[in-house]
Amino acid sequence: MSLPPEKASELKQLIHQQLSKMDVHGRIREILAETIREELAPDQQQLSTEDLIKALRRRGIIDDVMKELNFVTDNVDQELPSSPKQPVGFTDRQSTLLKKTNIDPTRRYLYLQVLGGKAFLEHLQEPEPIPGQACSTFTLCLHFRNQRFRSKPVPCACEPDFHDGFLLEVHRENLGDGTRMADSTTMLSISDPVHMVLIKTDIFAETTLVASYFLEWRSVLGSENGVTNLTVELMGVGTESKVSVGILNIKLEMYPPLNQTLSQEVVNTQLALERQKTAEKERLFLVYAKQWWREYLQIRPSHNSRLVKIFAQDENGINRPVCSYVKPLRAGRLLDTPRQAARFVNVLGYERAPVIGGGGKQEQWCTLLAFLCRNKGDCEDHANLLCSLLLGYGLEAFVCVGTKAKGVTHAWVMTCGTDGTITFWESLTGHRYLHKPTNPDEPSAAEQSKPLYPYRTIGCVFNHQMFLGNCQPSDSVESCVFDLNDESKWKPMSEEAVKSVCAPGATTSLPPFPPLCASTIDASVTSNGIEMQLRLLVSEHRKDLGLTTVWEDQLSYLLSPALASYEFERTTSISAGNEEFQDAIRRAVPDGHTFKGFPIHFVYRNARRAFATCLRSPFCEEIICCRGDQVRLAVRVRVFTYPESACAVWIMFACKYRSVL
């Protein structure tokens, strides 16, 4: 395979830099002089090339060079990343640069090392972790230009032992020659930050968002040798966004080393100009939003009480336009249909933002990375993600902000069909509802069917390009007309104004959207593990009641089709396979015997927690504690995996016994 002349010269330059860095030339000269002194006989006039190579090999010089060049030779059987979207990185190695990492020597990389943490004072009294014993851990998640990374979990401590390296590929999209190595000036115009999210996982596998930080990496472009050390102070989230939670020591290094670094003054000037430009755009949008709101109130004074949400606070307490939380998001090959996307969002955990003390709900709309890494969030986080995915599938989708029963604030998703069909998507359950407006003035209004959806009022709808306030006489969802082009019913914001602060790249303060990651969970292994734990828990529970336990493996296996059918129905709203399941059970249960089954669904993988929940159901408790003649028990677990290691866990307990009158 021949290289173009410019690539060949770049490769030669890289090899020369590597040899110079190791001072190979100097070491060869020393060994040559030593070999001549020790091994050259008086009657010999010169050493052959073979003699010299033997001497170099004997003294380990060749081995040293090959070890340093391991990143080229170690993965020759793997295809080098051809797409600029493809991330390369390592998170399970010690922080030795380029150790067994798939590298393209013609690309530019930012090597980010996390070299420990300190001042995590909340964990000052944390005992030393005992080997083999479960303990709470910290995990650092990173996103940079469509690349995702995750550190090794480290035990929570005042000085957590982070020692990880991440190789971030720096490239510019849509520049034509994607393989050309970026120079300092090109990289200075790349304003994407490195988004770092710190997650705490307790011994019960419950996750907590500790910090979310946007690292400005371009200071390395103005540092000597393209290497810089930073001390990053992490602030808390939500109500604690002004409180320091800890400090990370970070080292940044450009690879290959920069031929020409910029002056620090040039870098600082560029960053200052970007901040100034962003601040001006945000100021102009705020002025426009205030004017729009004044006009909206003049239509009807009662609009003041409607849920028209123009700005929302993120996890760092920063007010951002709600339209910036939504963007068309493509799931690649991880999700196939919009309904499968709705199911994925539904199995991500639901948790309201924590609040200290009373005083109602704490507002916190998370950035997408924080939501995905924590694997749970509030209804707004779910609605924003589902809307983004539906937009990615080419649907006209909007996030709706309004209320449910008892005036509880809620967010859900709406899609508008080309035929005018309005469909509501509940992101917390995956349910879909068709909306048919009712006319309260018609005499038959009382007889009109009651809507199935739980929504009561609606104040506004928005997506990544549009924001519309509901200005109809009533904000009731039942009577609402969703003709979004009718300005007498929906007051729109200027699309240009929305794009000025919400379009990708419009401002440097806009967090980039990360791609979804494939699941790392092995469904079969996890299903089997949970099933074994549940068998043990059931046996112990029955033993405490003075009952023996006999498991029937064949009956357990027959429950599998039912669990698969339940998940298929949740994903597609179509029921299938029930006839075969019922027929198999009838054949497996002899005459005069009774069969009972109880299916239940969870979005977590904690067997003990699931078992405790099951026992709270009288139907399930009746099966687990079944008494009678020839009692045979069965349990089947089926884990269905989704992106981001989210999962739907279906469990079915069953028993059969001889009926004795």
Side-chain angles (χ1 to χ4, degrees):
M1 185 182 91
S2 62
L3 283 171
E6 64 274 10
K7 292 287 171 67
S9 62
E10 274 185 22
L11 197 55
K12 284 178 186 174
Q13 185 185 356
L14 282 171
I15 294 168
H16 179 72
Q17 285 175 350
Q18 188 70 25
L19 295 177
S20 302
K21 185 178 172 185
M22 296 174 62
D23 192 25
V24 171
H25 299 109
R27 292 163 72 184
I28 288 174
R29 276 194 293 271
E30 287 173 15
I31 288 166
L32 181 59
E34 191 179 318
T35 307
I36 289 171
R37 281 198 309 271
E38 294 177 2
E39 299 179 15
L40 194 59
D43 56 335
Q44 277 185 287
Q45 295 301 313
Q46 58 181 18
L47 277 171
S48 69
T49 307
E50 279 186 18
D51 293 332
L52 180 57
I53 288 174
K54 279 180 188 174
L56 292 173
R57 195 182 294 280
R58 196 163 57 244
R59 285 163 175 78
I61 299 296
I62 292 176
D63 287 343
D64 288 348
V65 173
M66 294 308 291
K67 278 179 189 172
E68 285 293 325
L69 297 177
N70 200 28
F71 67 93
V72 174
T73 60
D74 205 54
N75 283 313
V76 288
D77 57 324
Q78 297 181 15
E79 188 179 342
L80 286 171
S82 57
S83 162
K85 294 279 185 187
Q86 244 179 312
V88 289
F90 61 103
T91 55
D92 296 323
R93 301 278 190 271
Q94 292 301 315
S95 55
T96 305
L97 179 56
L98 306 174
K99 186 176 179 185
K100 292 195 176 180
T101 306
N102 201 4
I103 294 286
D104 182 346
T106 65
R107 300 279 178 88
R108 184 76 71 187
Y109 297 92
L110 172 69
Y111 183 54
L112 186 153
Q113 294 179 74
V114 185
L115 304 173
K118 57 187 178 184
F120 285 79
L121 300 179
E122 194 174 321
H123 302 277
L124 194 60
Q125 305 299 324
E126 205 86 21
E128 282 289 316
I130 300 168
Q133 184 176 335
C135 65
S136 298
T137 58
F138 282 139
T139 308
L140 196 61
C141 305
L142 274 71
H143 168 232
F144 178 68
R145 294 180 71 73
N146 234 31
Q147 301 160 80
R148 297 266 305 270
F149 301 87
R150 182 183 287 265
S151 73
K152 296 188 298 288
V154 299
C156 293
C158 184
E159 296 187 355
D161 189 27
F162 286 111
H163 274 90
D164 270 303
F166 308 96
L167 202 59
L168 318 179
E169 186 178 336
V170 182
H171 56 79
R172 296 211 63 189
E173 294 159 344
N174 306 322
L175 270 192
D177 184 7
T179 61
R180 191 181 64 202
M181 194 179 292
D183 59 18
S184 304
T185 311
T186 306
M187 289 189 288
L188 187 59
S189 65
I190 299 174
S191 59
D192 302 60
V194 179
H195 190 183
M196 306 170 71
V197 168
L198 184 63
I199 300 291
K200 178 184 175 182
T201 308
D202 67 15
I203 56 173
F204 305 108
E206 287 294 311
T207 55
T208 310
L209 178 62
V210 178
S212 173
Y213 184 83
F214 293 94
L215 176 69
E216 179 49 74
W217 58 275
R218 286 175 288 176
S219 58
V220 73
L221 301 176
S223 58
E224 195 176 346
N225 303 322
V227 180
T228 187
N229 290 286
L230 303 172
T231 302
V232 169
E233 183 179 21
L234 301 177
M235 308 303 279
V237 295
T239 51
E240 299 173 38
S241 60
K242 302 287 187 288
V243 181
S244 173
V245 293
I247 291 169
L248 291 179
N249 295 319
I250 289 174
K251 181 180 179 183
L252 298 176
E253 184 173 355
M254 296 308 304
Y255 187 84
L258 296 170
N259 296 329
Q260 181 183 2
T261 57
L262 303 171
S263 74
Q264 199 63 53
E265 189 181 350
V266 169
V267 176
N268 292 340
T269 303
Q270 172 71 14
L271 301 183
L273 283 171
E274 287 178 4
R275 284 193 294 269
Q276 186 181 341
K277 187 178 172 185
T278 294
E280 180 61 15
K281 283 186 177 182
E282 289 174 347
R283 186 190 69 80
L284 289 173
F285 181 77
L286 181 59
V287 169
Y288 171 77
K290 285 181 177 178
Q291 176 63 27
W292 183 93
W293 177 245
R294 279 194 294 270
E295 292 170 3
Y296 181 71
L297 292 182
Q298 285 170 10
I299 298 171
R300 208 174 280 110
S302 61
H303 285 180
N304 195 34
S305 60
R306 293 192 180 181
L307 279 168
V308 180
K309 191 85 181 149
I310 302 173
F311 294 92
Q313 282 192 357
D314 65 11
E315 67 266 24
N316 291 326
I318 296 169
N319 269 315
R320 298 203 283 117
V322 290
C323 296
S324 68
Y325 290 89
V326 174
K327 175 193 162 187
L329 181 64
R330 288 165 55 174
R333 300 190 185 277
L334 301 178
L335 298 167
D336 295 318
T337 67
R339 295 192 187 191
Q340 196 179 12
R343 178 59 173 156
F344 156 59
V345 176
N346 155 222
V347 298
L348 289 169
Y350 169 62
E351 180 182 85
R352 294 177 65 172
V355 59
I356 299 170
K361 180 182 173 182
Q362 166 68 28
E363 179 186 82
Q364 182 179 302
W365 291 31
C366 282
T367 54
L368 182 55
L369 184 69
F371 176 39
L372 294 176
C373 293
R374 193 169 54 139
N375 250 207
K376 59 186 177 185
D378 213 331
C379 62
E380 292 89 358
D381 302 324
H382 286 79
N384 290 334
L385 175 56
L386 178 56
C387 183
S388 298
L389 287 165
L390 296 183
L391 287 167
Y393 281 111
L395 302 179
E396 188 180 11
F398 296 87
V399 174
C400 305
V401 179
T403 62
K404 292 198 295 185
K406 299 180 182 175
V408 176
T409 305
H410 191 62
W412 66 98
V413 178
M414 169 184 82
T415 51
C416 307
T418 51
D419 58 354
T421 306
I422 300 298
T423 308
F424 293 148
W425 302 64
E426 177 47 63
S427 57
L428 296 179
T429 63
H431 293 159
R432 298 163 68 253
Y433 309 97
L434 282 176
H435 174 263
K436 293 177 182 174
T438 59
N439 189 343
D441 299 327
E442 287 184 10
S444 59
E447 299 166 18
Q448 293 177 37
S449 59
K450 192 178 178 185
L452 298 173
Y453 49 77
Y455 318 121
R456 295 291 177 265
T457 67
I458 183 166
C460 65
V461 300
F462 66 87
N463 62 18
H464 63 302
Q465 293 176 329
M466 300 169 69
F467 182 95
L468 302 113
N470 182 5
C471 54
Q472 297 170 59
S474 167
D475 63 352
S476 165
V477 177
E478 279 185 56
S479 59
C480 190
V481 176
F482 287 94
D483 180 1
L484 302 182
N485 295 316
D486 187 345
E487 294 194 12
S488 68
K489 293 181 171 58
W490 294 93
K491 179 173 172 58
M493 270 195 175
S494 155
E495 287 192 29
E496 287 304 313
V498 171
K499 286 179 184 175
S500 71
V501 287
C502 298
T507 65
T508 52
S509 62
L510 208 59
F513 266 48
L516 296 182
C517 282
S519 177
T520 57
I521 296 170
D522 186 317
S524 300
V525 171
T526 308
S527 301
N528 200 49
I530 296 173
E531 196 171 300
M532 291 300 103
Q533 291 179 62
L534 288 175
R535 282 196 175 201
L536 190 63
L537 290 166
V538 169
S539 299
E540 286 177 352
H541 186 75
R542 287 177 62 84
K543 188 178 178 182
D544 291 343
L545 297 173
L547 301 171
T548 58
T549 306
V550 181
W551 295 100
E552 187 170 313
D553 290 340
Q554 176 62 13
L555 185 59
S556 295
Y557 180 70
L558 295 184
L559 303 177
S560 294
L563 301 184
S565 176
Y566 298 148
E567 182 62 21
F568 182 74
E569 187 175 353
R570 287 288 181 100
T571 307
T572 62
S573 304
I574 299 168
S575 179
N578 197 37
E579 300 83 2
E580 294 90 341
F581 167 66
Q582 290 185 358
D583 190 60
I585 293 298
R586 286 193 190 100
R587 290 175 179 278
V589 179
D591 289 343
H593 284 63
T594 300
F595 170 84
K596 290 181 180 178
F598 176 79
I600 190 167
H601 166 257
F602 299 99
V603 295
Y604 52 81
R605 306 187 300 278
N606 187 322
R608 194 172 289 275
R609 181 180 165 193
F611 182 65
T613 304
C614 291
L615 282 178
R616 288 200 285 272
S617 164
F619 302 106
C620 188
E621 203 231 2
E622 190 180 320
I623 291 170
I624 291 171
C625 305
C626 180
R627 297 170 183 265
D629 187 22
Q630 297 178 28
V631 175
R632 298 292 181 268
L633 291 171
V635 62
R636 191 66 170 173
V637 177
R638 180 72 168 85
V639 174
F640 296 88
T641 59
Y642 287 90
E644 300 296 329
S645 297
C647 58
V649 179
W650 283 96
I651 300 172
M652 192 168 189
F653 290 99
C655 68
K656 68 175 185 180
Y657 58 93
R658 187 175 177 188
S659 304
V660 180
L661 296 174

